[in-house]
Amino acid sequence: MKEPIRYLENAKDLLSKSLIEGNRYADEKYVKSACGVAYLGVLKAVDEYLIKKGLSQKELPKKTEEYQKALQKHISIHNGKLTKEFDAIYKELHIAGYYRGLLTHVDTVKDALKAAKDFINKVK
C-alpha cells in the first residue's frame, strides 16, 4: 500500500508550509488541504483492499456511506473496530479538518494524521 502512504506524506508536506503560532497552524488553507489529502489516502487504502478482495474499479464505493457498508461487509469481519475508526477519521479529517476548517491545534492535526496512518496499516 504505497499509494495511501504517499498521500499521507503529501499531507505532511502541505502542513509544513504553514507557519505555527502558539502551537496552532496559522494558515487554514494548508491545514484544510492536508486533512483532505490524508482522508483521500484512507479511502485509497480501502479501495486497494477491496480490489484485492475481488471487487472491480466500477464496484468501489463512491460515497462515505458506501465505504462504511463495504468496511462492514469485507473488513469488519476480521476487525470490528475498523468501521468505528473509519467513522472517527471521516469526522475528524474530512468534516472538521477539510470541510469546516476547524482543526488548527498542531497536536490535534498530527493525531488525526497518525490515526489515518494507523488505519491504513490495519487495512493492509
Side-chain angles (χ1 to χ4, degrees), residues 63-79:
K63 300 177 182 178
T64 300
E65 296 81 16
E66 293 173 8
Y67 274 96
Q68 289 167 332
K69 288 178 185 176
L71 284 168
Q72 289 171 343
K73 182 177 180 181
H74 297 283
I75 299 175
S76 290
I77 295 168
H78 308 293
N79 186 344

